[in-house]
């Protein structure tokens, strides 16, 4: 069935059903729930292979007239066509969103200036690059794909003063990415006016007046069921649409949110759009071991006179978590939840709010602290229903932790043993570790 490789959406479904009706001699029937369970089990045990959605990738592809997206890159944020004579190439940069928050709100003028410089810089890279293969050079010069993303998202909402698992954050995810999208598309169109449109522009979604936000409706129509996603718009997009209509686009794609693990560390911010992994942890390099503490947390506690040795010891005893430390006000505990204290649906929805503005995709790790197969399945179903194009690693917690024998608590709090911790956190009713569990069915 070699043609299925290049099909997606309704066309794939119709062709697949055609092959089913042929009673092919080498075909066999597999129970779909069994197949899904095997996929989830592999995810739970290893963290990958990462689940991505071919229909969302291709139906929303600005370059659907020029080929098919067969796969993403390793980190699942790049969504570009590939073929035997073209190797997808994308040039990336990331906006430090924490620098874009001034006096508790997004600085629109600063975002416009920074994004405009970033888009011009990335377009320059295409012409000055070294290409190891002809297929890579041909694709990059023909389509001129670039990917401007964001990092330091958690730092930005620390400055805003609200929790990751809040409606305020969902709105911020939406509005901040809309602003980046607005100026990224406009900057590429201005470059097109200055330097000319990319070679394969004619017939693209840009040429047809279809922007990323519009393509959500196309996906909904293709699936025949609702995409459960807020479609609100805050900016006046008319000037951008008119500019693209008049002058085209310099780049076939303009946005992609990469993991940014290394450059975020260099910049001193949290990677991409994820919640903080830990409020305190040990870092090791060639110079030795270092205790790294959340600087925003230190400042907020210091401002209310609650940063002291006793509180620090409590945070260490709790592996960085603030929950259950009564000396820390509830409002601060809510803002500084670690990633495994944030329910996965908040991460999925915030990613979906950003995804509606992005012409490529975003690295979106899923964090799960439970062994519940139902919750795991529901999380990935939610990602599909909200129109996500890709997901990245499934991150889960270790079953054991290091016993803290040298840290004493002023309040008499005892370290929780590994056995007690496992007993209190394990969901007995539905466990993906139990091969006989039928709750997911």
């Amino acid at each position: 069935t070699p043609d299925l490789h290049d099909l997606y959406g309704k066309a794939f479904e119709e062709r697949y059903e055609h092959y089913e009706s042929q009673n092919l001699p080498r075909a066999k029937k597999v129970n779909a729930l069994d197949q899904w369970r095997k996929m989830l089990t592999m995810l739970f045990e290893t963290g990958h292979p990462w689940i991505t959605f071919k229909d969302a990738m291709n139906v929303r592809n600005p370059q659907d007239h020029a080929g098919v997206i067969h796969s993403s890159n390793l980190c699942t944020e790049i969504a570009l066509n590939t073929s035997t004579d073209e190797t997808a190439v994308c040039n990336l940069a990331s906006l430090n969103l924490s620098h874009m928050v001034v006096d508790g709100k997004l600085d629109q003028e600063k975002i416009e200036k920074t994004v405009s410089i970033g888009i011009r810089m990335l377009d320059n890279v295409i012409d000055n690059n070294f290409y190891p293969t002809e297929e890579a050079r041909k694709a990059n010069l023909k389509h001129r794909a670039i990917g401007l993303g964001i990092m330091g998202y958690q730092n930005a909402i620390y400055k805003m003063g609200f929790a990751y698992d809040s409606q305020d954050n969902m709105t911020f995810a939406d509005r901040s990415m809309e602003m980046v999208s607005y100026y990224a598309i406009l900057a590429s169109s201005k470059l097109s006016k200055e330097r000319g449109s990319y070679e394969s522009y004619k017939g693209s979604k840009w040429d047809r007046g279809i922007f990323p936000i519009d393509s959500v409706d196309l996906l909904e129509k293709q699936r025949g069921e609702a995409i459960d996603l807020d479609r609100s718009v805050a900016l006046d997009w008319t000037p951008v649409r008119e500019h693209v209509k008049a002058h085209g686009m310099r780049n076939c794609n303009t946005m992609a949110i990469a993991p940014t693990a290394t450059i975020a560390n260099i910049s001193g911010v949290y990677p991409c759009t994820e919640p903080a992994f830990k409020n305190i942890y040990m870092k090791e390099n060639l110079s030795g071991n270092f205790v790294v503490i959340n600087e925003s947390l230190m400042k907020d506690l210091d401002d209310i006179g609650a940063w002291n040795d006793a509180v620090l010891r409590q945070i260490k005893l709790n592996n960085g978590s603030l929950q259950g430390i009564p000396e820390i006000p509830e409002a601060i505990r809510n803002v500084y939840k670690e990633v495994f204290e944030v329910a996965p649906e908040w991460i999925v929805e915030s990613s979906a709010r950003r995804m509606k503005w992005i012409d490529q995709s975003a690295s979106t790790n899923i964090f799960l602290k439970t062994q519940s197969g139902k919750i795991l399945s529901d999380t990935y179903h939610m990602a599909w229903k909200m129109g996500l194009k890709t997901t990245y690693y499934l991150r889960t917690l270790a079953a054991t932790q290091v016993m803290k024998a040298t840290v004493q608590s002023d309040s008499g709090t005892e370290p929780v043993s590994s056995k007690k911790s496992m007993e209190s956190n394990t969901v007995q009713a539905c466990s993906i570790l139990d091969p006989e569990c039928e709750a997911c069915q």
Side-chain angles (χ1 to χ4, degrees):
T1 61
D3 55 337
L4 291 179
H5 186 58
D6 291 322
L7 299 176
Y8 55 89
K10 286 183 178 179
F12 179 96
E13 185 175 354
E14 290 171 359
R15 191 62 175 163
Y16 189 93
E17 290 175 348
H18 166 75
Y19 282 124
E20 282 184 316
S21 69
Q22 297 301 300
N23 295 316
L24 301 175
R26 296 180 62 187
K28 67 176 181 178
K29 181 181 267 188
V30 177
N31 185 291
L33 286 173
D34 290 343
Q35 186 78 356
W36 180 236
R37 186 181 179 86
K38 285 182 180 179
M39 292 167 67
L40 293 182
T41 301
M42 180 66 72
L43 261 175
F44 186 83
E45 291 177 349
T46 69
H48 53 78
W50 310 303
I51 291 180
T52 59
F53 304 108
K54 189 179 181 183
D55 62 339
M57 291 270 272
N58 280 282
V59 172
R60 300 192 62 202
N61 178 15
Q63 290 290 98
D64 59 348
H65 70 303
V68 176
I69 300 172
H70 296 104
S71 64
S72 71
N73 67 325
L74 175 66
C75 305
T76 76
E77 83 274 16
I78 301 305
L80 299 174
N81 301 339
T82 55
S83 63
T84 54
D85 60 345
E86 288 187 6
T87 300
V89 178
C90 195
N91 313 280
L92 302 177
S94 297
L95 181 77
N96 188 343
L97 197 63
S98 69
H99 287 174
M100 303 297 117
V101 176
V102 179
D103 297 328
K105 63 180 181 179
L106 286 170
D107 187 330
Q108 188 167 347
E109 184 177 338
K110 191 174 183 181
I111 289 178
E112 178 182 11
K113 180 180 179 181
T114 309
V115 168
S116 298
I117 292 172
I119 295 295
R120 179 176 289 271
M121 174 195 73
L122 287 170
D123 189 67
N124 289 342
V125 168
I126 295 171
D127 296 314
N128 296 316
N129 223 340
F130 166 75
Y131 298 100
T133 69
E134 178 58 26
E135 293 83 359
R137 188 193 71 84
K138 178 181 178 182
N140 214 23
L141 293 178
K142 183 177 181 180
H143 310 299
R144 307 189 69 85
I146 58 177
L148 182 69
I150 57 177
M151 63 182 180
Y153 182 88
Q154 174 70 87
N155 304 79
I157 65 172
Y158 282 157
K159 288 186 175 182
M160 303 289 283
F162 47 72
Y164 202 100
D165 52 351
S166 68
Q167 285 303 320
D168 286 336
N169 180 42
M170 299 303 101
T171 301
F172 181 74
D174 211 329
R175 300 287 78 86
S176 59
M177 198 65 224
E178 179 182 6
M179 205 173 288
V180 172
S181 179
Y182 187 99
Y183 291 114
I185 295 170
L186 182 59
S188 181
S189 186
K190 286 181 177 179
L191 278 179
S192 180
K193 180 181 179 181
E194 175 186 333
R195 300 174 173 179
S197 297
Y198 66 93
E199 184 181 331
S200 59
Y201 171 77
K202 199 66 177 176
S204 67
K205 277 190 170 67
W206 303 114
D207 184 40
R208 284 138 53 197
I210 302 172
F211 279 33
I213 184 65
D214 307 320
S215 64
V216 178
D217 293 337
L218 297 180
L219 179 61
E220 188 173 75
K221 183 177 179 181
Q222 184 78 207
R223 287 181 176 177
E225 62 178 85
I227 301 295
D228 185 17
L229 181 62
D230 184 298
R231 314 286 174 87
S232 61
V233 176
L235 301 176
D236 178 11
W237 281 79
T238 302
V240 183
R241 292 181 184 275
E242 290 179 348
H243 199 285
V244 172
K245 184 177 181 180
H247 304 289
M249 290 284 287
R250 180 64 174 169
N251 313 96
C252 70
N253 296 79
T254 60
M255 290 163 284
I257 301 179
T260 69
T262 302
I263 60 173
N265 278 335
I266 293 171
S267 302
V269 296
Y270 290 99
C272 57
T273 59
E274 292 178 355
F277 178 66
K278 283 288 180 185
N279 285 313
I280 184 170
Y281 61 93
M282 181 72 74
K283 182 177 181 179
E284 180 179 357
N285 61 24
L286 293 176
S287 300
N289 295 333
F290 305 88
V291 175
V292 181
I293 303 176
N294 187 325
E295 292 185 7
S296 296
L297 171 63
M298 290 172 58
K299 180 182 181 303
D300 283 354
L301 289 177
D302 194 46
D303 286 346
I304 63 171
W307 179 248
N308 52 56
D309 289 341
V311 167
L312 177 59
R313 280 193 290 271
Q314 285 296 305
I315 295 174
K316 288 179 179 179
L317 281 167
N318 282 275
N319 292 321
S321 173
L322 309 187
Q323 312 311 310
I325 303 179
E327 292 88 349
I328 299 177
E330 184 180 3
I332 292 181
R333 296 202 303 267
N334 288 336
V335 168
Y336 291 96
K337 287 181 180 177
E338 297 176 341
V339 68
F340 283 105
E341 295 167 341
V342 175
E345 55 263 30
W346 292 103
I347 295 175
V348 170
E349 182 178 346
S350 64
S351 182
R353 293 287 194 105
R354 284 183 291 269
M355 189 66 70
K356 73 182 188 183
W357 301 109
I358 302 174
D359 50 34
Q360 291 203 64
S361 192
S363 295
T364 303
N365 287 314
I366 304 296
F367 295 84
L368 207 67
K369 67 177 180 180
T370 177
Q371 296 176 1
S372 168
K374 184 179 187 305
I375 293 176
L376 179 60
S377 180
D378 288 349
T379 299
Y380 281 97
H381 273 99
M382 178 183 179
W384 186 80
K385 289 177 179 177
M386 297 197 81
L388 258 65
K389 297 176 184 177
T390 61
T391 63
Y392 197 21
Y393 282 98
L394 172 66
R395 310 283 191 181
T396 54
L397 285 170
T400 59
Q401 59 175 294
V402 175
M403 179 67 75
K404 291 170 277 299
T406 60
V407 181
Q408 300 298 322
S409 167
D410 289 347
S411 63
T413 303
E414 294 295 329
V416 180
S417 71
S418 299
K419 181 177 180 182
K420 182 177 180 182
S421 177
M422 285 184 66
E423 289 175 350
S424 62
N425 290 327
T426 300
V427 180
Q428 300 293 341
C430 176
S431 174
I432 198 167
L433 300 180
D434 180 6
E436 304 300 323
C437 176
E438 296 181 355
C440 302
Q441 308 295 321

